[in-house]
Amino acid sequence: MGLFDFFKKKQESGEAQEALDKGLEKTKEGFFSKITRAVVGKSTIDDDVLDNLEEVLVTSDVGVTTTLKIVDRIQKRVAQDKYVSTDDLHHLLKDEIQGLLAENNSNDFETFEYGNQKPYVIMVVGVNGVGKTTTIGKLAHQLKAAGNKVVLGAADTFRAAAVDQIQLWGERVGVRVVAQPMGSDPASVAYDTVKSAVANGDDVAIIDTAGRLHNKVGLMNELTKIKNVMQKVIPNAPHEILLVLDASTGQNAIEQATQFTQATDVNALALTKLDGTAKGGVVIGISDQFKIPVKYIGVGEKIGDLQLFNKKDFVDSLFK
């Protein structure tokens, strides 16, 4: 890496950190004002403080299961150290959340570049309104900026606006889009996209799918059909099934994750709209509960505000 590239990377990393800090502002404000109220009048961490902390975490959308784990870990630390002041609570909490996330069987992703699979096929799933199409557009931009040839497949053929949106993003970021008329078979669009990606020597193909959470059987059948036709062209496609969730919906996002992980083999998550919500705690709950890597987070409106998720950076920023 040349000196120019080194400084450019450093600058980009600083800008990304700044965007993350800014994107988590609402969550931080809500979270820490609740913690301050939880320890008011207390000098040591006792049962009352732990009960209050439990309430703080649950109401910050960390989720009941994950909250109980965190509180249990803090309780053990307090029992060991006997006297722990409430001033230590932030430090303890940060420590235990980082520890919990580090135990998940997922590594952080460091670049928008992919390994030896070519084309690398990403199938994107999620309900309407979560920012799915915007995530696809921003991801295409990041992948292209990292030197990849990208093609998009507009396989959400049930909604005219979805096809139009994907085409607009394609024009905006300068990548090809494969589309068919509204009402076409989504599997047919997916097939055309991967076939075209192979013929064109593309590095990455991103396939949009219908954003409907209809009954699990219907959803499963549709996504299975799309996977099966893609596998006629590339036997192990899709390499990534990316579920997009809207962080601002809090516990609803956890419910959607439950539905989609039961319907298909989701192996990556994107959490959008973190900048517009105080419910950023949901990232902790989802990371812990589903043991599926959160790969991308949306921390702002700008095209570069889709970031690769780094557990340590996220928790550091939350407690900054």
Side-chain angles (χ1 to χ4, degrees):
M1 183 191 290
L3 203 57
F4 174 76
D5 290 333
F6 173 77
F7 283 117
K8 185 168 182 280
K9 209 168 178 57
K10 213 163 172 51
Q11 182 192 0
E12 283 169 359
S13 153
E15 285 168 4
Q17 186 61 51
E18 211 175 290
L20 178 62
D21 292 347
K22 198 170 183 321
L24 290 179
E25 266 172 14
K26 286 186 179 170
T27 295
K28 278 191 275 199
E29 281 164 21
F31 193 52
F32 290 115
S33 64
K34 284 178 189 171
I35 287 180
T36 304
R37 288 198 296 275
V39 298
V40 74
K42 297 280 186 180
S43 58
T44 59
I45 300 174
D46 59 14
D47 287 348
D48 281 351
V49 169
L50 289 170
D51 283 348
N52 292 340
L53 177 62
E54 195 174 297
E55 193 182 322
V56 167
L57 291 169
V58 170
T59 57
S60 299
D61 286 277
V62 171
V64 175
T65 313
T66 305
T67 291
L68 293 175
K69 279 188 203 174
I70 293 167
V71 172
D72 185 50
R73 291 165 82 123
I74 290 175
Q75 202 162 14
K76 282 178 181 151
R77 287 272 292 270
V78 170
Q80 266 173 357
D81 301 344
K82 298 293 179 241
Y83 182 91
V84 184
S85 80
T86 49
D87 293 342
D88 297 325
L89 187 59
H90 281 203
H91 174 70
L92 271 181
L93 194 53
K94 179 182 175 183
D95 235 28
E96 293 308 332
I97 289 173
Q98 268 182 340
L100 191 68
L101 295 186
E103 286 163 21
N104 290 346
N105 57 353
S106 64
N107 296 319
D108 290 324
F109 300 90
E110 289 176 15
T111 63
F112 283 94
E113 289 165 23
Y114 294 104
N116 302 324
Q117 303 284 0
K118 185 176 170 174
Y120 184 85
V121 181
I122 303 171
M123 181 166 89
V124 184
V125 300
V127 301
N128 290 333
V130 294
K132 193 159 52 82
T133 315
T134 303
T135 299
I136 290 169
K138 288 180 176 180
L139 180 55
H141 166 75
Q142 299 274 28
L143 289 166
K144 189 182 174 204
N148 296 286
K149 271 177 82 177
V150 182
V151 61
L152 305 180
D156 181 356
T157 55
F158 293 93
R159 216 168 43 98
V163 178
D164 292 345
Q165 268 181 296
I166 286 278
Q167 287 176 321
L168 278 172
W169 271 108
E171 284 167 28
R172 186 177 173 190
V173 303
V175 300
R176 287 189 315 117
V177 176
V178 174
Q180 289 181 13
M182 190 193 160
S184 304
D185 180 5
S188 163
V189 179
Y191 178 81
D192 284 355
T193 307
V194 289
K195 209 166 166 24
S196 149
V198 170
N200 199 48
D202 292 320
D203 298 296
V204 186
I206 307 175
I207 317 288
D208 187 18
T209 62
R212 299 164 304 148
L213 193 54
H214 36 320
N215 71 68
K216 277 204 291 287
V217 176
L219 179 68
M220 201 179 291
N221 290 344
E222 189 175 294
L223 296 176
T224 302
K225 185 180 171 189
I226 291 172
K227 278 162 65 175
N228 288 345
V229 300
M230 290 196 287
Q231 285 170 0
K232 289 179 181 172
V233 185
I234 300 165
N236 55 348
H239 307 101
E240 188 173 302
I241 299 180
L242 176 67
L243 170 60
V244 181
L245 299 165
D246 175 352
S248 70
T249 62
Q251 292 310 292
N252 250 350
I254 290 182
E255 179 52 33
Q256 285 169 27
T258 305
Q259 299 282 333
F260 274 96
T261 50
Q262 285 169 0
T264 190
D265 304 319
V266 174
N267 59 1
L269 300 170
L271 276 146
T272 64
K273 309 183 190 180
L274 275 168
D275 55 310
T277 182
K279 297 182 177 185
V282 75
V283 176
I284 298 163
I286 281 177
S287 297
D288 172 56
Q289 229 171 298
F290 293 94
K291 303 291 185 272
I292 295 168
V294 173
K295 194 166 184 181
Y296 312 104
I297 52 172
V299 292
E301 296 294 315
K302 294 204 292 285
I303 199 164
D305 283 341
L306 181 74
Q307 295 191 0
L308 289 161
F309 177 67
N310 177 293
K311 294 189 276 282
K312 185 179 182 305
D313 289 353
F314 179 83
V315 180
D316 280 349
S317 180
L318 191 58
F319 282 83
K320 202 175 265 182

